[in-house]
Amino acid sequence: MCHWRYLGMLVFIALEEKIIFSKLGDNATLSCIYQGKKLPLKNLRVYWQIADDQEECSVVHALISGQDNESEQCVHFKNRTQLFWDKLENGDFSLLLLNVSQSDVRTYKCVVLQKTEYTKVIHQAEVVLSLAASYSQPILSGPIRNSNSTGEEVTFSCRSGNGYPEPNVYWINKTDNSHLLPSELTITPHTDGTYSVFSTLKVKATSDMQIECSIENRILQENLSANYTQEKQSNGSSTESHKNLEKNGRGAQAAGIISIVILMGLLAGLTCWLWRRRSSKLASYTGNEAIHLHDQF
Ligand SMILES: *[C@@H]1O[C@H](CO)[C@@H](O)[C@H](O)[C@H]1NC(C)=O
Ligand SMILES: *[C@@H]1O[C@H](CO)[C@@H](O)[C@H](O)[C@H]1NC(C)=O
Ligand SMILES: *[C@@H]1O[C@H](CO)[C@@H](O)[C@H](O)[C@H]1NC(C)=O
Ligand SMILES: *[C@@H]1O[C@H](CO)[C@@H](O)[C@H](O)[C@H]1NC(C)=O
């Protein structure tokens, strides 16, 4: 290992550096492509390692004389790395890292050494691995009327989580698409590396409020939003759309209960009627049945 580092200092090679983003649990491809002429694999050594020199264990993957060599590979990367065997011959030494976790967020270095009379570095590349995770669908609650405020001020709140990196939160007045300033914005980091977010908005209540809370993940170029719409009714008064749904829900429930009661009543009536009919039939047919019985014997 020290061998190539020493050589690395002697031989100047332009270092390309890339940043790649992976979601938690996904597989990430760390790219390292040598564009020079084709070289026989048996004369090559490819080291993928953690770029930080302070690291106690730095070998992520090693290819020696055309074979994977696990003898120096760090335990953290055991069974989690693969080269693209069909592409090696073409100078593509990219590494597939499986099941990316928070602890994989590092700068990785690929070093390609050629062994002829002496060993020299023919290619190097650095890849910064960063994480990204989609935020959950935001949940918008409110409006809640603020009791100790003058006028008709209400509060909305919005929450989302399981995302990475830290989100941008937008409160938008959908009636004119203006941005509103949150009165509270709390971003909480969690042990799994993700963030959750909670934000509140205080606004003056109007008869046609349309509020949107939008959670943006810049890296994934994702915007997830939740909306609140206050609907105007024909009688001029206004009600809130989700409260409306709740009311409709209760109405449907009540209707359901009433229909069950009616149905049960009908069933009881029917049973009663059938029973009575049957008893009267039994009474009237007893004679005939007796005759049939006699026929059978
Ligand atoms: C791995 O490399 C070490 C030292 O470079 C060597 O002794 C060992 O034989 C190699 N193992 C394989 C499987 O190539
Ligand atoms: C890697 O996989 C092998 C065989 O599939 C297994 O025996 C070994 O325990 C695994 N090592 C780690 C560190 O998971
Ligand atoms: C992926 O890694 C996590 C820990 O980072 C582990 O709990 C999980 O079992 C791994 N999944 C697979 C499919 O190996
Ligand atoms: C997300 O929405 C905000 C506010 O509307 C906007 O400024 C931003 O450009 C959007 N981002 C993406 C990735 O669409």
Side-chain angles (χ1 to χ4, degrees):
M1 280 316 304
C2 295
H3 198 50
W4 71 257
R5 272 188 195 147
Y6 164 71
L7 284 162
M9 275 183 249
L10 287 183
V11 184
F12 174 80
I13 284 176
L15 201 62
E16 46 172 299
E17 191 181 284
K18 280 194 181 136
I19 300 179
I20 68 137
F21 290 94
S22 169
K23 289 192 184 185
L24 276 174
D26 276 5
N27 302 335
T29 301
L30 314 179
S31 89
C32 175
I33 297 166
Y34 171 67
Q35 311 219 309
K37 67 172 173 38
K38 279 195 183 182
L39 298 164
L41 278 184
K42 66 173 177 30
N43 291 341
L44 294 181
R45 282 183 173 220
V46 178
Y47 284 108
W48 268 104
Q49 58 164 54
I50 291 166
D52 184 358
D53 283 331
Q54 312 302 314
E55 211 53 48
E56 209 173 288
C57 183
S58 66
V59 181
V60 178
H61 195 101
L63 179 80
I64 298 173
S65 310
Q67 282 189 316
D68 286 330
N69 188 309
E70 293 180 9
S71 63
E72 288 174 287
Q73 188 182 37
C74 312
V75 172
H76 182 64
F77 297 105
K78 279 259 150 57
N79 296 342
R80 294 182 56 227
T81 57
Q82 283 168 23
L83 291 167
F84 296 88
W85 282 90
D86 52 334
K87 294 179 183 167
L88 287 178
E89 296 280 356
N90 300 325
D92 186 343
F93 306 110
S94 300
L95 187 73
L96 184 68
L97 179 61
L98 306 174
N99 191 19
V100 168
S101 71
Q102 176 69 26
S103 52
D104 296 325
V105 173
R106 303 295 191 112
T107 301
Y108 296 85
K109 192 171 188 175
C110 159
V111 181
V112 183
L113 299 151
Q114 185 183 22
K115 251 174 81 180
T116 44
E117 312 95 87
Y118 56 97
T119 307
K120 66 174 181 191
V121 177
I122 57 163
H123 183 64
Q124 289 190 70
E126 274 194 11
V127 180
V128 178
L129 179 61
S130 204
L131 274 187
S134 295
Y135 276 88
S136 61
Q137 178 60 39
I139 295 169
L140 178 62
S141 24
I144 294 166
R145 191 146 279 134
N146 300 342
S147 52
N148 57 354
S149 74
T150 52
E152 292 280 281
E153 196 187 49
V154 291
T155 302
F156 288 94
S157 61
C158 184
R159 62 173 73 245
S160 175
N162 295 316
Y164 189 91
E166 291 190 35
N168 288 328
V169 176
Y170 304 101
W171 285 100
I172 300 156
N173 177 355
K174 294 299 279 182
T175 56
D176 59 1
N177 278 324
S178 61
H179 284 232
L180 304 164
L181 280 179
S183 56
E184 184 193 341
L185 176 59
T186 312
I187 295 171
T188 312
H190 296 280
T191 48
D192 65 357
T194 65
Y195 292 96
S196 62
V197 58
F198 177 77
S199 182
T200 59
L201 172 78
K202 284 186 175 33
V203 284
K204 196 172 168 293
T206 57
S207 57
D208 61 344
M209 278 194 292
Q210 284 181 48
I211 301 292
E212 179 176 277
C213 158
S214 188
I215 308 290
E216 181 187 33
N217 185 323
R218 273 157 299 136
I219 299 306
L220 298 175
Q221 288 286 296
E222 281 176 355
N223 252 344
L224 293 171
S225 57
N227 283 281
Y228 167 84
T229 308
Q230 187 155 0
E231 283 168 358
K232 265 216 150 71
Q233 287 187 335
S234 49
N235 61 10
S237 75
S238 56
T239 50
E240 299 116 47
S241 63
H242 52 244
K243 289 265 168 69
N244 245 348
L245 278 177
E246 213 174 284
K247 270 186 208 151
N248 287 346
R250 274 194 216 126
Q253 224 175 356
I257 290 167
I258 290 169
S259 37
I260 287 170
V261 168
I262 292 173
L263 199 68
M264 279 169 74
L266 280 173
L267 270 175
L270 190 70
T271 314
C272 205
W273 177 75
L274 276 174
W275 186 78
R276 275 211 209 124
R277 226 185 101 180
R278 207 175 102 115
S279 355
S280 62
K281 261 194 192 163
L282 272 179
S284 56
Y285 290 121
T286 327
N288 289 344
E289 265 165 10
I291 292 163
H292 285 303
L293 278 173
H294 280 290
D295 289 348
Q296 273 177 350
F297 281 105

